[in-house]
Amino acid sequence: MSTPEAITINDLRQAQRVIAGVADHTPLIPSPFMSKHCYGDFLLKLENMQPIGAFKIRGAMTAIAALDQKTRGVTCFSTGNHGRGVAFAAAQRGIPAVICMSSLVPQTKVEGIRALGAEARITGNSQDEAALEVERLCREEGYIDISPFDDRHVIAGQGTIGLELLEKRPDLETILVPLSGGGLAAGIALAAKTIKPSIRVIGISMDRGASMHASIQTGKPVEVGEVASLADSLGGGIGLDNRYSFALCRDLLDDVILVTEDEIYRAMQQLYYEDRIIAEGACVVGIAAVMSGKINALKTPIAAIITGRNVDMQMYTRIINGLDVQLGDVTIKGQPYDL
């Protein structure tokens, strides 16, 4: 396997030009509740305000803009939001898109992809199984695979969030990033550490099926079991032949923190009641890590990435009302939020 070309901050600045006017400069707002708790500025980067409701549009637009004009079609495996981004960007280019997902992906995300004109194909019970159908489409039908995380253009696109954060608040000391396959964390860490080497970038994931955490602990990409989670967007593996995101996360992240489903449940309630923001479980892992006391030596100002709003509203309503939630064979016991 050839050595992958290094991704630089110049790639991120090029991505900024590609997405300009469509997927850039989302709001960065203070959270009064979290700022009081942390005794300093705690800011929320509202990627849930993107046209597709999630940050994934940045990487998808950047990657598809780099394709040859004669591309027959694009495909990807996805837990939902990347697929929506690819569907959006492919529609802009006028090329077909087939999004492969597992049965664990919430129906609301499947429907959102179809609404953008792409084919949503449900294959298997894990992201790894959906990836097999992507491989077949590329091998037999000539489609181009747009990886959710292990693609230099995707990472550059997601990294534009880091550029925006430091442009807006050069005094930032800590960035809290939801961590899955690592495209978002790799891009943001590359931007932030290049501009301000002293800044801390912390990746946060759920404590069941956290593939990047397990891989960093092991020292190489490993497979993990994929289970239902309130942070469903963070599910799936990183690929045993990972070329970009693993090394960047291993080398640039200052820490990786895991939070429980109960802590995610509580943080979803908190973000809704205290900041009036509807967001997916994956968005609140940074808040969950802070509120549970799992991050040491937390320095302000802090920015947390609110990655998307494409949540299953039936489940979300149960959480907001303090009711039990069933995740496969696990029951998350409900508890009303104490205002």
Side-chain angles (χ1 to χ4, degrees), residues 75-187:
T75 185
C76 68
F77 60 89
S78 174
T79 53
N81 285 332
H82 176 64
R84 195 178 290 219
V86 170
F88 179 95
Q92 285 200 326
R93 279 279 301 271
I95 57 178
V98 178
I99 313 302
C100 301
M101 296 170 286
S102 80
S103 60
L104 293 177
V105 175
Q107 188 61 29
T108 183
K109 293 186 177 180
V110 176
E111 293 169 357
I113 286 166
R114 289 175 176 152
L116 289 167
E119 178 186 346
R121 191 170 295 182
I122 308 301
T123 305
N125 298 312
S126 72
Q127 188 169 245
D128 290 339
E129 291 180 18
L132 295 177
E133 177 62 9
V134 171
E135 291 175 8
R136 189 197 66 78
L137 284 166
C138 295
R139 181 178 64 251
E140 298 180 10
E141 301 185 32
Y143 276 63
I144 301 297
D145 177 18
I146 308 295
S147 170
F149 48 82
D150 198 33
D151 178 289
R152 58 178 297 105
H153 299 292
V154 168
I155 291 171
Q158 321 305 28
T160 60
I161 296 172
L163 297 180
E164 289 179 20
L165 285 172
L166 271 299
E167 288 167 2
K168 186 80 171 180
R169 289 295 298 262
D171 61 334
L172 278 179
E173 294 290 347
T174 309
I175 303 177
L176 307 177
V177 189
L179 179 63
S180 179
L184 176 66

